Amino acid sequence: MRVELKDVTKRFGSVAALEGVDLSIAAGERVALVGPNGSGKSTLVRAVMGIVRCEGSVRLDDADPFRHRARLAARLAYVPQTTPQLGASVGEVVRAVTALRGLDGRDITATATSLDLDVDALRHRPVRSLSGGMKQKLLISLALAAPASLFIMDEPTASLDHDARASFFELFRGRAARATLILCSHRLDEVRRLVDRVVVLEDGRITLDAPVTSPAVAERLNGGPWRPTPSPDDCLCDQGRKVS
């Protein structure tokens, strides 16, 4: 799915969340959105999903996500950073998603099993009672089971351990090989393994748009003021050399 934003601006009162953003993402391209809290990443993502109305133009394959939300929703898959505190059971959520999206529940179960999550064993558990890692695995399983052409993922592996993150990367490569990806992440291993290009937002404006292999990207991601505490996997490699 192709994504086009032209002169997109969004203000909340006197605060400009987005200011004249121009962004073009080709079908099948994988882009990371990076920036400090309040930079406009969430607003941009919500505009793409047709949740927040903005000035300017937002198009998904030339369709307006606000006017054609139902038609486009079938082609989108979203993994939020924070799981809603649902009182519904895991089984109820899986059944609802399969019914809404026309999926086979066995695909969700198989995807979850690849992430070491036993959906059947948890089917009576309220979603809000699960651990952070379990919730994240469930959200990922629901997203990757869908035949989406645009995946929007917000820190998808933040609550996962090393083995689960490795499984997620493998699953994504296998199940979304041709899909477009918009990834909101500060994790260098996610960015390095999942995207081709990095877009940095600061104060609602794009301040860097470059290939993930660019030295400027390595400098921003390794030294940005929003950078979280690094994990052992967090490095960007430039021509085989670790950039620190």
Side-chain angles (χ1 to χ4, degrees), residues 123-138:
R123 64 185 182 277
H124 297 305
R125 288 267 304 272
V127 171
R128 65 187 177 198
S129 73
L130 303 180
S131 69
M134 287 179 174
K135 291 175 183 176
Q136 201 68 10
K137 290 175 182 179
L138 178 62

Side-chain angles (χ1 to χ4, degrees), residues 12-244:
F12 296 99
S14 61
V15 178
L18 296 172
E19 189 71 42
V21 171
D22 292 321
L23 178 63
S24 179
I25 302 174
E29 192 173 15
R30 300 179 177 186
V31 175
L33 294 180
V34 177
N37 291 336
S39 62
K41 301 188 303 297
S42 295
T43 303
L44 189 151
V45 164
R46 289 169 183 161
V48 169
M49 291 193 293
I51 297 172
V52 173
R53 288 191 175 275
C54 301
E55 299 175 38
S57 172
V58 180
R59 293 290 185 272
L60 305 182
D61 280 350
D62 294 325
D64 185 327
F66 304 102
R67 295 178 58 192
H68 306 288
R69 183 182 299 178
R71 173 160 59 89
L72 292 171
R75 301 175 60 197
L76 303 182
Y78 175 51
V79 177
Q81 182 179 9
T82 304
T83 308
Q85 294 300 306
L86 299 175
S89 70
V90 170
E92 289 170 333
V93 169
V94 170
R95 285 194 297 273
V97 172
T98 56
L100 286 170
R101 307 206 71 161
L103 303 177
D104 187 331
R106 290 172 295 184
D107 289 339
I108 295 174
T109 300
T111 304
T113 299
S114 298
L115 295 169
D116 196 27
L117 182 72
D118 189 339
V119 169
D120 289 333
L122 298 170
R123 64 185 182 277
H124 297 305
R125 288 267 304 272
V127 171
R128 65 187 177 198
S129 73
L130 303 180
S131 69
M134 287 179 174
K135 291 175 183 176
Q136 201 68 10
K137 290 175 182 179
L138 178 62
L139 291 176
I140 290 170
S141 301
L142 295 172
L144 289 183
S149 54
L150 172 60
F151 287 86
I152 299 176
M153 298 188 167
D154 191 352
E155 305 278 1
T157 71
S159 300
L160 304 185
D161 61 25
H162 179 273
D163 290 342
R165 281 160 52 202
S167 296
F168 165 73
F169 294 138
E170 187 65 27
L171 273 170
F172 189 85
R173 281 193 293 269
R175 300 210 172 195
R178 298 182 180 180
T180 305
L181 170 66
I182 297 176
L183 173 74
C184 296
S185 179
H186 298 124
R187 299 194 63 92
L188 303 189
D189 59 330
E190 281 186 350
V191 172
R192 181 185 62 199
R193 298 187 190 195
L194 293 179
V195 310
D196 312 305
R197 175 178 159 206
V198 174
V199 173
V200 177
L201 278 172
E202 296 178 276
D203 296 324
R205 298 177 180 273
I206 293 176
T207 58
L208 178 67
D209 185 344
V212 70
T213 54
S214 165
V217 167
E219 181 179 356
R220 286 291 188 99
L221 291 179
N222 284 288
W226 57 85
R227 172 99 158 74
T229 302
S231 75
D233 295 318
D234 279 353
C235 70
L236 281 180
C237 297
D238 180 21
Q239 298 178 348
R241 176 176 60 85
K242 181 177 178 180
V243 183
S244 59

